[in-house]
Amino acid sequence: ILMKKNVTEIVCFCCFIILTPFLSFAQVGYNTPGVITGFGNSGFGTSSINNTATGTGNSGFGYFSLNGLSSGVNNTGLGTFALRTLSTGSYNTATGYNALSTNNGDLNTASGSFSLQANTTGVSNTASGDNSLYSNTTGFSNVAMGIHTLYTNVSNSNLVAVGDSALLLSNGGFNLVAV
């Protein structure tokens, strides 16, 4: 009986060692997974989190969400094309169709279709509302709340816009507040 118990423990231990790399992520949907070695990643939807090489703690829900991710950590994309081209950015949250879809910056939050859609390397931006901070590429520390807020801002920083279309056509100045 002692011999049988040891053999069972060895077999269970070997199965654990063999299966452990496969238990560090979850993928559901067509064309998933791609190349995945990161830990704690979840992808649901066609090609979501399809190329995560070393990224950890990422969640993509929706068609092509977080599709380009390679090494970013703790990102969440919810919606078709949310954080689609993000490769190395970390601590980003995108909710909505095409939200933060071209982003590679860090610490950005976008909620609403096309919010922060053009952002490339801008950091610490918060956009809530469809098309908010739509044209922002490199601006940082901006807050846009409401549909079309700060729509044309490309690179200015430290801006706060609250309300429907607040600072809609603004692309100049720093440290502005519009309510």
Side-chain angles (χ1 to χ4, degrees), residues 35-39 41 51-58 69-73 87:
V35 179
I36 297 186
T37 59
F39 180 79
N41 296 303
N51 299 306
T52 304
T54 59
T56 60
N58 299 291
L69 187 68
S70 63
S71 63
V73 299
S87 64

Side-chain angles (χ1 to χ4, degrees), residues 94-115:
T95 305
Y97 179 81
N98 241 24
L100 278 165
S101 63
T102 59
N103 181 60
N104 209 29
D106 299 321
L107 303 164
N108 293 295
T109 301
S111 177
S113 296
F114 297 101
S115 58

Side-chain angles (χ1 to χ4, degrees), residues 21 24-27 31-44 47-60 64-75 83-89:
S24 64
F25 63 88
Q27 296 277 170
N31 201 26
T32 57
V35 179
I36 297 186
T37 59
F39 180 79
N41 296 303
S42 301
F44 299 90
S47 296
S48 67
I49 306 188
N50 195 40
N51 299 306
T52 304
T54 59
T56 60
N58 299 291
S59 298
F64 275 81
S65 60
L66 287 154
N67 177 258
L69 187 68
S70 63
S71 63
V73 299
N74 298 325
N75 295 291
L83 287 165
R84 179 176 45 101
T85 62
L86 180 74
S87 64
T88 60

Side-chain angles (χ1 to χ4, degrees), residues 41-177:
N41 296 303
S42 301
F44 299 90
T46 299
S47 296
S48 67
I49 306 188
N50 195 40
N51 299 306
T52 304
T54 59
T56 60
N58 299 291
S59 298
F61 301 90
Y63 181 75
F64 275 81
S65 60
L66 287 154
N67 177 258
L69 187 68
S70 63
S71 63
V73 299
N74 298 325
N75 295 291
T76 302
L78 176 60
T80 299
F81 301 124
L83 287 165
R84 179 176 45 101
T85 62
L86 180 74
S87 64
T88 60
S90 296
Y91 307 103
N92 294 289
T93 302
T95 305
Y97 179 81
N98 241 24
L100 278 165
S101 63
T102 59
N103 181 60
N104 209 29
D106 299 321
L107 303 164
N108 293 295
T109 301
S111 177
S113 296
F114 297 101
S115 58
L116 277 163
Q117 184 269 334
N119 196 66
T120 53
T121 58
V123 298
S124 299
N125 292 295
T126 301
S128 179
D130 289 351
N131 294 304
S132 54
L133 275 166
Y134 176 87
S135 303
N136 191 79
T137 57
T138 59
F140 59 89
S141 298
N142 294 304
V143 176
M145 298 187 71
I147 190 168
H148 299 114
T149 51
L150 285 165
Y151 184 87
T152 59
N153 182 66
V154 174
S155 59
N156 293 309
S157 302
N158 300 313
L159 304 173
V160 176
V162 178
D164 185 351
S165 302
L167 292 175
L168 172 70
L169 301 176
S170 173
N171 196 25
F174 292 86
N175 302 318
L176 296 175
V177 177

